[in-house]
Structures are given as C-alpha cells and as structure tokens.
Amino acid sequence: MSVLDSPSNNGCNSIYIHVPFCEKKCTYCDFYSIENTEHIDAFVGDVIAEIALRLQNITQPVQPSTIFFGGGTPTLLTANHIERILHALPTPLANAEITMEANPGTISPEKLSEYRSLGVNRLSIGVQSFNPSELEFLTRIHSREQAIDAVHHARKAGFDNVNIDVMFALPSQTAASLSATLQQVLALGTEHVSAYSLIYEHGTPLFRQMKRGLVIPTPEDVDAELYELVISTLTSAGYRQYEVSNFAHPDKECRHNLAYWHARDHLSVGPSAHGLLNGERYWNHRSLSSWQRLVRMGTLPQANTETLDERETMNEFVFLTLRSDGIPVDQVHRRFGFDVRTALGARLADWIQDDLIADSNGVLRLTSHGYAVCDELTVHVLEACDQAWESSRAGTQTNITATE
Amino acid sequence: MQHFRNFCIIAHIDHGKSTLADRLLERTGRVSAREMTYNQILDDNPLEQERGITIKLHAIQMDYVAKDGQNYKLNLIDTPGHVDFSYEVSRSLSACEGALLVVDATQGVEAQTISNLFMAIDQGLEIIPVINKIDLPAAVTTIETVKQQVMDLIGCKEEDMILASAKSGIGIDEILEAVIQRVPPPTGDPNKPLRALIYDSIFDSYRGVVVNVRVFDGVMKEKDKIRFMNTGYEYELDEVGVLFMSRQRTKVLEAGNVGYFTAAIRRLQDTKVGDTVTHANAPCDESIAGFREVKPMVFSGIYPADSDDFEDLREALGKLTLNDAAITYEPETSSALGFGFRCGFLGLLHMEIVQERLEREFNQTIVTTVPNVRYRVITTKDEELWVDNPSQLPNPTLIADIQEPYIRAQIISPTEYTGAIMKLCIERRGTMVGQSYLSADRVDMTFELPLAEVVFDFYDKLKSNTRGYASLDYEYSDYKSGQLVRMDILLNGEPVDALSSIVHRQKAHEWGKKLCAKLKELIPRQMFEVAIQAAIGSKIIARESISAIRKNVLAKCYGGDISRKRKLIEKQKEGKKRMKQVGRVEIPQEAFLAVLSID
C-alpha cells in the first residue's frame, strides 16, 4: 500500500515500452502496430537510444518499480531483445513488477522460461475468448487450445502472476458463451483478469464494418447484462474489481496500470507511447519511421506535449481514481484543497442510496452498478469538483489579500 | 401645401412593395442607381431584410417635377408588413391621403392586403391600384383574373389600374403622375394650433428618441415647447426636419408635411404611436382620433441559459426597449429555470424578432418557454385576475370563470383548399362567421378563433395544408369564457412550472399524451428511471417513463485514452451546464419548447 500511496511528484517509478509489431493486426485493435516484423532488431536499438535520450532529459530520479512491455505483440521480441532493453533501464527496485503482454500464438515454453529468467515476473495473456467462433470473429491468430496451453506454459516457466484478457459484448456472443469463457478463466485460476466490453474504435476495420452495417453492435441492455455476468462471476470467485475492466486476487492488482490511474509519473518509450512527467504529458509519433528518424537524430521523438494546469490535473486524478479503486478523499483534500464529500453534497447520498457509490475507509468507490454507469457519474462528479475547487481557490485568494 | 402628397404602399409580402419604393426613389433622384446596390433601401434592419418584412416604419420625402411642370414634394410613408403590427399600420395610414395598392399580377389579392386596404378605405384614403410584375411570363394567363379581383374589390374601372413592373421600371412615371393627380393635397391650417400625429419613433443613441410625425395643423419649430396629449409629457424641440435618405434638418415643419423631431427624450415609451403632439402653451382642442395603448397579446418566459447571466439579460432587455416600445418585461422566478423575465409581445412574429435580437444584437443565450395568451380569471369571490403565466392560475376551486382572447381571422385561399382550412380551424376550436368568393376560384373566409390556438403553429399548418397558397390576417376581438384547465407536467412527481399550460378541457387528454411522448424523446436517459406525467389538478391524465441508463462506461483507459477522455468530459460538462434541473432530473433547454414541435 505504501508504494501505491507515494506522491507522484518526487520521482518516476513506472516505465512503459511499446512494441509496435504484430504477426497479424486484429480488426478491433487501435493500438499502433505494423505487420512487418523485419525491423525488430533495429527497433530494439532505437528503443535503447530513446531510453538514453529520455534519461538525459529527465529532471527527477527514475527508480522503476513497474516496467511494462505492451504492444503490439511484445512476445515477438526475443529474450535477448528484452535483456538489452532491461539493461538500458535504471536498475529496478527489488520488488518491481515487470510485465509482458503475450499473444498465445507467439510463445513457447522455452521462450517464457527465458523471459522469466531475465526478471519478467508478470505475464498478461491476450486470450479474448475461449470460444472458437468468437476468436475467429476477432481475427485472433491463436486457437482456444493454444490459449489454454499458454497459461500452463507460463506456470511451468515460473510465472505466479498471470493475467488473462477477455472480451465481451461481441456481436454473436450469448450469455452462455461468455459464461463458458469465464468458467475456463476460473478453471485456469490466473491471478488477474481484464474483461473489456468491445469498443468500436474509430479507424479500425471493425468500425468500418459497423458503419457499413456488416456488424451490429450489442444493444446497451445486453451489454449491461453481460457486464453484470462478468462482475458477478469473477467477484464471487474471489477476484476483486479494482477498475472498470480489471479484476485481481488480493494484492495482485496490476501496479503498473494503477500508476496510470493514480495519475503518477511514467516514462514511456516507443512509437505512439504516452508518458507523464512532472505534470507534462508527451506522446511519441505514431509511426515507426518518424519515431525512428527522430531518435536517430538524437531528438525526443514526441509528436506533442500538453501541460496540465491544476484544474486539469485535479480532473484527471478524480476521474481516473473514480473509475479504478476509488477517490481517496483525504488525498484530494491535501492536493487540491477541497472536500469531495462536501462538493457532492446531497448527490452523494442519492448515489449511495442508489447503490452506485460506496463510502468506506476514506475512499469513494464505485459499486458494481456504479462501474456500469461510470462515465455518466464522472461528468456529475467533476462538475461538482470544479465548483468546489474554484471556490476553494477563491477562498485562498481572499485569505491572501486579507493577510496583505 | 398644394404641392405636398402624402402616400403609402399597401402590398402583400413579395408582391413588390420594396422594389417599387426603390424604383420611385431612384426615379425622383433621391437615390442614384449606384446606391441601389443594396436593394430595398427601406428595409434597413438585417432581420427585416432576411424575413422580407418591415418592422420599423420609414418615410422618405422625394422631389418630383410633374408633367405639369410644377415641383412637388412626395412623402412616401412605409407601413409594417405583418399582422402583429396592425395598429402601427393604421397610424401610418392616417398620416396619408392616398395609397398605392400593389397586387402581383400572377398571385392576386391576399388577406393582409385586403385588411390593410379596407383600413385605408375606412380612413378615406385615395386608392391607386397597381398591378405589378406584369412582365412575368405567368402573368399572361392570370392578369385578367387579377384585374377583375381588384375591380371587384375597390369598385374601380379598368383604366384606373396602372400596369407596372417595378423590377423592370415599367409604369413608374404613370404611378408618380397618378399620385400627383389623384391623391388629394393635404388639408389643414398652418395658422391653427399645432396638431401632429406620431406614427413612429426610433431611438438614436446620440439624440435620444427621434419622433416621426405628420403635421395636420399649425407649425412646428425648433425651441417650441410641445406636449404629448395622451401621455401629458412636455419637451422642448431640439431639432426639426424632414426625412430624405437620412434626416434633413429644416428647423420648421408646417401643416401638411411629414418629418421628424428630437427633444432629448430618453424613453421610447414616452412617445406613443398614435399620440398627438401640440404646443404646450397653445394646445389644440382635440387630439387626433384613433389613439390606443398597444397591449401585448402573447407572453413567454425568457431566461438566461446560464443562470449567472440574469443581470446581463436584464440589461439587454432594457436596451432593447429603447427601440422597441411594444415589448413588456417583468422579473419572474421559475423553480425549473431560475430567475428570468415574463415578456409580453404584440404577436408571435414580434416574439420571434425579440428573441432573435436578444441573441444576435445582445449576445444572450436564452431559454424561452412556450408562448401563451393572457387569461382573464373571475374568482369565486368575484375578483378579476389577469394571468399571463399558466403556472399562476389559481386553484380550480377558486375559479368561477376563465376567459380567453379571441381573434377574427380572415383567410383567403384558392377554393380547392376550403375543406382543409375548415378542418384546421374547427380543430382549433374556431367557428366560421363569414365566407365570400373573390372570384370563381378564390374564397375569403372569416373565423372566430381563440388566440391561444393560433399562437403555436397555426400559420405554418395553414400554409402547409394549402401548399402555401392561403394567406392569413387577423384582428383581436374580445374575451370569451372557455372550458379551460391548467395542465401540469410532473417529472418524478415534481411539477415543472415552466411546462404548465392552459388547455381546453376536451383537448387535455390528447394534448397531455402527446406532450409526455415528446418529452420522452427530448429528455435524455438518466441514471435512474424518470416518470413523466401530465396532470390536471391531482388527476394524472397521461404518463410515460424514460428507462434508466444501464451502461455507459469506456472499457479501457490507458495512455492516450486518458487525455482524450478528459477532453470529452470537458465537453460533456459544457453540455450539462446548459441543462436545467428539476429535482434530480436534468432537462435540456429544447424540452421547454416541446409543445411547439407537437403535431
């Protein structure tokens, strides 16, 4: 808990490496990746160069307590690649969480053992579904059996912290087929499960299929029922929901993602990666060649940056904690100078009454009903927080004038 | 005085009044062809130009050397082009001795033309019929019928009619000559005490109110002390002159002439249209007949979209009344909309104009409630109450009688639409009181209708049911008792005062059903179920419900999703600011005008 609570402004403890390669792009995915895998070697060199550049430019201490290889398909990288990248980074803390995303179609028991021996201690396996026809709809490159094997291989390689990604609200999915997938997840007993409702992201082939009427999105009511099924199945099997789409056994929450959701600094490298350092967010070019060119010129390969003002910082903090493990009331008060409970006033009581929010241990936390309407609640909460924040500032200003 | 001619133009919208006026100005050299680039000079307000109607009156003096070799001064007085302003029309007509009746050769006579024409005939004006647009190809087949209509209407001979095309400049000289020969010169005595009619006034931020007058008797000079006979206000004249394209100072204005004066008058309301101007020391015996206080007929609540802007709105309304004396406003409070104003208007068009001016000229973002009329309520204690806000109607047990204003509507249309018009008017609780045929295929129908049934969409319905051919004119008649009840709308059991309406008992059920259905469309789903009910007193007559949102959450929020999400929330917060809240229910502003979009 002490790690999670550490304030964000005295150091950077999280590092993300984006690996933009896939054997085959899935039709729903909008993360940046390309199918041409010839340049992986060169890419690794460039990542190492970007890390060096970033470390030169950074003004705060970097002590990795979480490292995350995401993608794309990081398991297209060899153990040697991973080793070189890890060497380029500052030495991680002893208890650091080092995660790799893995595609069941690209791993072997040997490869996993090698990763594990390099210090990678958490594996996030992109399964999505254990139903063959759903896997086909999602254009995944692996079979149901490969997915099951992947978890077994991970165990054999010594991974005791494994996540499975699944998806629901797929067009042809029924409560029964989703339930079967979830039962398979439970049978495998991974420490962590991410369950995402399918998003029709702009610019993806799936989005175009929807626009042309070839794919019909799941109606809201059905989506809601499937979400309830996900939550009830996983929570009654001992998982705790700690974010809209994330469930974990006690103390197995993904600490790297919590760093995002607690708005803590993170250093990110690779094309399209987004980082946050000292209140400034930067994002790298979303093109391997542009990114590469800049890195090789010795320039930070970022497309743009934004500096959050205090209100925006407050907004991000509040909505990210709300949609994950709850708004820490004291912390908001300390950092932004207002009381969230007072800000929400009677509405908070209504929401507690309606079983959308729970107020316990100093945290305003969504209930399972609350998670389902999180975005609706968020707007109301932030509206109230803006007002409270403004009047607390007005109050501060008056005090200053008074003392002068 | 023998060389003055005061006249106006009576025409239906689009029949060519403004083009004809432009042509006359051009022909008399008042405007050069070069200045005519912005056509239709008399309509100088952008709103007027857009809508093709005249709201504020104008007058222009022209010099004209007639065929008899003599020099004449012609005062062309414009008239407003909409039924909401019929009182102003009557006042500007009484400033004239003659009128050009302009009728489109392809369209024939329309309702508004007829009512203005009859008003002019009643006031003894000489009518010069002009058949316009004769060079349109379609005129070949229609012109004879139109001529016959005009002859039947005013009892003139065929040779009295001037065939013209204002657009091509045909018949302009004939019109000018006819004005000289047929319109009588003004009568009046410059030696009698001053007697002048106010037919319009406008506010000028440098000089205060500029009053447009027709002098009947006496002489008006700068420095004179004058009195407005109906209001009793007295002022000293600053500047006196005539109106060319702009004001032309002449220091003196004599009997028979038309012109303007200023007198450091700060409030437009002090100069009432129709009032008589006389000298304070030597007043005339009698004021000019026909003056009346213009009373608002249609009311609506106007609220700032953001309740913090209440004071801005008050200021804007204050400024607006500087050049629109007809609007009334007083503060009111609504539980749904907060602080705002109940505003009174001459009619629906006037209301729209005011709303548009508030938004365009004064940058106000406003929420308006559904327009309603003013009801006369007799209580069981025999007290009289005037109610212009439905939510203020007393409890039914305290009401002995409710009366509502009626209008007398004149509708002129091709005969094939008679059935459609009858049906519409009967649906709107109207009764037909007269019908006559202008020609074999044109009918003139008169109905008595409750004004409340006309204020929403009657005119649009009339137009669409007759493919645009019917024309409408109306005048207010009197108050009549009706089976009226107040219908409230409740959201999750809480009444929304701004959505209350007064309706006829027999229509209440259907109306309630439609309104609930419409609100169901307009109110977005919330995190809880919303019950919409229509009620008369404590009796629920219709209901709908809006189911709760079951799921609204973005499944993933990593990296780039975070700032995207923050920006999206920022926009959604803006949207929420524009919502009004009743209890826990958030209502979008369009919902307050829901009634207007019900079929």
Side-chain angles (χ1 to χ4, degrees):
Chain A
M1 245 1 228
S2 63
V3 177
L4 300 187
D5 274 345
S6 64
S8 64
N9 50 359
N10 57 3
C12 172
N13 307 105
S14 293
I15 293 175
Y16 176 76
I17 300 107
H18 189 76
V19 181
F21 302 101
C22 283
E23 233 168 67
K24 184 161 162 272
K25 286 220 69 173
C26 301
T27 53
Y28 58 86
C29 178
D30 80 329
F31 289 107
Y32 175 65
S33 75
I34 57 171
E35 291 179 353
N36 184 345
T37 56
E38 289 167 28
H39 305 295
I40 290 183
D41 252 343
F43 163 80
V44 171
D46 294 323
V47 162
I48 291 164
E50 186 187 357
I51 291 169
L53 264 175
R54 293 275 170 204
L55 291 175
Q56 276 166 35
N57 280 279
I58 203 162
T59 53
Q60 73 242 70
V62 181
Q63 275 192 306
S65 97
T66 74
I67 299 173
F68 197 106
F69 291 89
T73 311
T75 42
L76 288 174
L77 266 57
T78 62
N80 179 256
H81 291 142
I82 299 293
E83 187 177 16
R84 284 166 56 203
I85 295 171
L86 287 174
H87 271 289
L89 292 169
T91 314
L93 295 168
N95 64 347
E97 170 197 280
I98 305 178
T99 307
M100 262 181 94
E101 288 183 341
N103 185 312
T106 61
I107 50 177
S108 61
E110 299 74 33
K111 215 174 182 180
L112 290 180
S113 299
E114 288 171 10
Y115 293 145
R116 182 69 195 87
S117 65
L118 293 170
V120 177
N121 53 22
R122 187 173 180 273
L123 209 60
S124 174
I125 305 175
V127 169
Q128 317 312 353
S129 170
F130 287 107
N131 179 301
S133 66
E134 288 170 10
L135 287 173
E136 195 182 336
F137 167 80
L138 293 168
T139 62
R140 299 293 294 176
I141 57 168
H142 58 83
S143 66
R144 160 196 161 81
E145 289 69 27
Q146 278 174 300
I148 295 169
D149 287 347
V151 179
H152 293 318
H153 295 330
R155 294 301 190 207
K156 274 191 204 132
F159 284 97
D160 60 0
N161 193 357
V162 177
N163 167 57
I164 289 181
D165 277 352
V166 295
M167 294 179 93
F168 65 94
L170 308 175
S172 59
Q173 195 172 40
T174 60
S177 73
L178 174 61
S179 190
T181 288
L182 293 171
Q183 289 309 318
Q184 182 63 64
V185 170
L186 298 185
L188 291 167
T190 53
E191 290 68 30
H192 192 286
V193 182
S194 299
Y196 300 104
S197 176
L198 177 64
I199 304 176
Y200 293 78
E201 301 273 11
H202 267 272
T204 59
L206 180 67
F207 184 81
R208 288 191 288 276
Q209 286 173 346
M210 175 191 71
K211 283 284 156 195
R212 275 188 267 138
L214 301 174
V215 171
I216 295 159
T218 306
E220 183 190 317
D221 279 355
V222 178
D223 183 19
E225 275 159 28
L226 297 177
Y227 190 45
E228 279 164 22
L229 177 66
V230 167
I231 294 174
S232 63
T233 307
L234 294 176
T235 52
S236 55
Y239 292 93
R240 191 182 81 109
Q241 184 172 15
Y242 72 101
E243 198 257 358
V244 171
S245 308
N246 285 281
F247 303 81
H249 283 161
D251 289 329
K252 296 291 184 182
E253 294 88 2
C254 176
R255 280 156 48 196
H256 184 81
N257 286 342
L258 278 173
Y260 295 153
W261 301 328
H262 292 174
R264 286 204 295 267
D265 283 7
H266 48 278
L267 180 74
S268 302
V269 296
S272 85
H274 284 62
L276 180 70
L277 293 171
N278 269 334
E280 183 186 84
R281 175 171 289 116
Y282 66 84
W283 48 100
N284 282 351
H285 280 278
R286 199 184 153 95
S287 142
L288 183 61
S289 54
S290 309
W291 171 81
Q292 223 155 31
R293 199 169 52 242
L294 289 165
V295 171
R296 289 178 187 178
M297 282 164 56
T299 311
L300 290 177
Q302 57 207 29
N304 219 334
T305 62
E306 65 177 356
T307 308
L308 302 178
D309 63 25
E310 194 188 321
R311 191 186 59 83
E312 289 167 332
T313 308
M314 179 273 283
N315 271 218
E316 281 197 3
F317 184 77
V318 170
F319 88 74
L320 288 169
T321 52
L322 177 65
R323 60 173 283 131
S324 55
D325 53 358
I327 306 171
V329 177
D330 283 351
Q331 210 179 324
V332 170
H333 196 260
R334 263 201 320 278
R335 283 188 64 183
F336 304 108
F338 67 91
D339 180 68
V340 185
R341 290 194 191 93
T342 318
L344 296 176
R347 271 178 289 191
L348 180 58
D350 287 337
W351 293 333
I352 291 172
Q353 171 96 42
D354 292 351
D355 190 28
L356 298 171
I357 283 190
D359 184 352
S360 64
N361 299 326
V363 173
L364 300 179
R365 206 170 177 289
L366 295 177
T367 64
S368 52
H369 286 121
Y371 277 122
V373 291
C374 172
D375 289 2
E376 196 68 25
L377 276 166
T378 300
V379 181
H380 290 272
V381 169
L382 287 189
E383 211 185 2
C385 287
D386 279 354
Q387 276 183 16
W389 177 79
E390 264 161 42
S391 47
S392 84
R393 274 170 61 93
T396 320
Q397 311 250 311
T398 326
N399 289 342
I400 292 165
T401 335
T403 45
E404 280 169 0
Chain B
M1 210 183 299
Q2 286 307 306
H3 293 95
F4 282 113
R5 295 293 183 274
N6 300 318
F7 72 107
C8 60
I9 303 175
I10 295 172
H12 188 71
I13 299 166
D14 291 340
H15 282 200
K17 179 172 79 165
S18 298
T19 313
L20 178 58
D22 289 351
R23 209 54 71 199
L24 295 176
L25 296 176
E26 195 186 25
R27 174 69 185 76
T28 56
R30 188 54 76 214
V31 206
S32 69
R34 197 168 49 80
E35 287 173 280
M36 297 291 300
T37 44
Y38 211 154
N39 266 343
Q40 307 187 350
I41 286 171
L42 290 180
D43 297 343
D44 61 9
N45 176 321
L47 263 176
E48 297 183 7
Q49 272 172 357
E50 257 169 53
R51 288 168 177 260
I53 49 156
T54 310
I55 305 158
K56 293 304 289 178
L57 303 180
H58 301 258
I60 289 190
Q61 191 174 88
M62 299 172 273
D63 290 308
Y64 176 65
V65 182
K67 287 200 176 124
D68 61 13
Q70 303 210 43
N71 199 339
Y72 290 89
K73 288 196 180 301
L74 310 183
N75 287 309
L76 168 59
I77 296 170
D78 200 11
T79 53
H82 192 275
V83 58
D84 284 359
F85 306 96
S86 59
Y87 171 69
E88 282 80 352
V89 175
S90 83
R91 294 304 81 203
S92 58
L93 292 177
S94 49
C96 304
E97 279 82 29
L100 298 174
L101 170 67
V102 177
V103 180
D104 186 321
T106 64
Q107 305 287 316
V109 187
E110 303 286 358
Q112 212 182 305
T113 327
I114 296 191
S115 57
N116 288 354
L117 172 68
F118 288 159
M119 216 189 281
I121 292 172
D122 283 349
Q123 298 196 14
L125 269 57
E126 177 66 32
I127 309 294
I128 302 171
V130 176
I131 312 290
N132 195 23
K133 306 196 189 179
I134 56 158
D135 55 346
L136 285 184
V140 180
T141 50
T142 54
I143 193 162
E144 288 311 316
T145 326
V146 171
K147 278 182 181 172
Q148 194 58 50
Q149 271 179 21
V150 172
M151 287 188 283
D152 292 347
L153 201 60
I154 57 174
C156 67
K157 298 196 199 84
E158 180 155 9
E159 58 266 32
D160 294 337
M161 291 183 286
I162 299 171
L163 303 182
S165 166
K167 209 173 165 200
S168 329
I170 302 168
I172 303 303
D173 288 338
E174 288 82 345
I175 292 170
L176 285 167
E177 283 301 316
V179 170
I180 303 298
Q181 278 154 32
R182 296 198 225 164
V183 175
T187 54
D189 187 345
N191 301 314
K192 279 169 90 171
L194 176 65
R195 214 160 68 99
L197 170 76
I198 302 178
Y199 67 86
D200 189 26
S201 51
I202 57 162
F203 187 81
D204 178 311
S205 35
Y206 299 106
R207 290 158 197 255
V209 179
V210 179
V211 185
N212 291 353
V213 286
R214 155 73 194 268
V215 183
F216 283 95
D217 289 316
V219 179
M220 182 180 270
K221 291 192 305 292
E222 290 178 3
K223 307 277 182 224
D224 284 356
K225 274 209 112 172
I226 52 140
R227 177 188 301 159
F228 298 136
M229 291 185 73
N230 286 288
T231 61
Y233 294 117
E234 295 189 0
Y235 288 96
E236 187 182 294
L237 295 179
D238 277 344
E239 186 179 315
V240 172
V242 294
L243 295 151
F244 287 179
M245 283 307 293
S246 54
R247 296 194 282 269
Q248 208 72 37
R249 188 173 177 191
T250 56
K251 298 185 179 175
V252 183
L253 206 58
E254 285 190 40
N257 207 351
V258 173
Y260 75 93
F261 67 81
T262 64
I265 304 168
R266 289 211 194 85
R267 281 165 34 96
L268 198 61
Q269 287 88 333
D270 292 355
T271 59
K272 297 206 182 288
V273 168
D275 204 347
T276 305
V277 184
T278 190
H279 280 128
N281 313 331
C284 59
D285 303 336
E286 249 184 284
S287 60
I288 297 155
F291 173 79
R292 66 179 166 86
E293 289 272 356
V294 179
K295 286 208 186 76
M297 297 302 292
V298 175
F299 298 82
S300 129
I302 294 188
Y303 289 81
D306 184 341
S307 34
D308 294 345
D309 298 336
F310 174 73
E311 283 305 324
D312 287 350
L313 179 59
R314 183 202 292 277
E315 202 185 311
L317 281 165
K319 284 187 184 155
L320 195 104
T321 49
L322 286 179
N323 49 32
D324 183 348
I327 177 180
T328 61
Y329 65 99
E330 44 188 86
E332 71 170 6
T333 324
S334 151
S335 55
L337 297 170
F339 292 104
F341 297 92
R342 172 96 345 205
C343 301
F345 312 94
L346 298 179
L348 271 196
L349 178 83
H350 184 220
M351 178 176 86
E352 278 176 40
I353 289 168
V354 168
Q355 289 167 358
E356 275 192 55
R357 288 191 59 200
L358 281 172
E359 300 209 314
R360 285 202 208 177
E361 292 171 36
F362 298 95
N363 283 324
Q364 299 292 303
T365 312
I366 53 173
V367 185
T368 51
T369 63
V370 170
N372 56 267
V373 301
R374 175 177 273 174
Y375 296 91
R376 182 166 180 255
V377 177
I378 309 294
T379 66
T380 44
K381 288 180 186 158
D382 211 28
E383 289 160 335
E384 181 188 62
L385 279 178
W386 291 94
V387 174
D388 56 28
N389 179 345
S391 67
Q392 283 164 5
L393 194 74
N395 190 310
T397 54
L398 304 174
I399 298 175
D401 189 23
I402 309 182
Q403 297 167 3
E404 60 178 331
Y406 270 67
I407 58 162
R408 208 176 167 84
Q410 183 182 25
I411 299 170
I412 293 181
S413 158
T415 45
E416 57 191 292
Y417 302 114
T418 311
I421 293 167
M422 294 278 287
K423 184 164 173 283
L424 174 67
C425 291
I426 287 164
E427 272 169 19
R428 302 296 176 103
R429 299 191 281 130
T431 41
M432 190 159 80
V433 292
Q435 185 176 19
S436 64
Y437 287 85
L438 297 173
S439 60
D441 57 0
R442 268 179 97 70
V443 63
D444 174 356
M445 307 162 88
T446 310
F447 293 87
E448 288 274 352
L449 280 158
L451 177 62
E453 296 281 349
V454 177
V455 293
F456 299 149
D457 57 349
F458 180 81
Y459 188 64
D460 294 339
K461 280 269 150 33
L462 179 69
K463 282 285 177 193
S464 63
N465 291 357
T466 62
R467 308 180 75 200
Y469 281 112
S471 61
L472 166 74
D473 191 77
Y474 62 81
E475 56 184 11
Y476 299 115
S477 56
D478 49 7
Y479 273 77
K480 290 183 186 174
S481 299
Q483 288 284 309
L484 300 170
V485 289
R486 186 177 90 208
M487 190 179 81
D488 295 319
I489 294 291
L490 296 88
L491 294 180
N492 280 357
E494 286 202 47
V496 186
D497 54 3
L499 287 172
S500 290
S501 52
I502 294 176
V503 293
H504 194 262
R505 188 177 287 283
Q506 280 170 4
K507 290 183 145 194
H509 272 84
E510 200 196 335
W511 192 241
K513 250 164 81 180
K514 284 183 176 170
L515 187 51
C516 287
K518 193 75 204 176
L519 288 169
K520 182 178 175 167
E521 256 173 55
L522 291 172
I523 298 175
R525 291 197 304 158
Q526 327 245 327
M527 284 180 293
F528 41 85
E529 184 173 310
V530 177
I532 308 170
Q533 295 168 310
I536 296 172
S538 56
K539 193 179 161 219
I540 304 297
I541 57 166
R543 72 180 79 220
E544 288 280 354
S545 72
I546 302 173
S547 59
I549 294 175
R550 289 198 55 191
K551 188 161 184 278
N552 176 17
V553 59
L554 184 70
K556 65 178 185 68
C557 196
Y558 304 99
D561 301 324
I562 296 173
S563 36
R564 248 200 323 270
K565 182 77 187 154
R566 193 192 71 241
K567 285 166 192 160
L568 178 68
I569 296 170
E570 214 60 64
K571 268 192 208 150
Q572 290 168 328
K573 278 192 284 189
E574 279 308 304
K576 283 257 187 286
K577 260 191 201 156
R578 294 178 55 85
M579 298 268 209
K580 297 290 178 180
Q581 196 153 359
V582 172
R584 292 177 67 193
V585 184
E586 288 181 324
I587 312 173
Q589 303 184 352
E590 310 88 79
F592 294 99
L593 282 169
V595 178
L596 293 185
S597 48
I598 288 177
D599 293 330

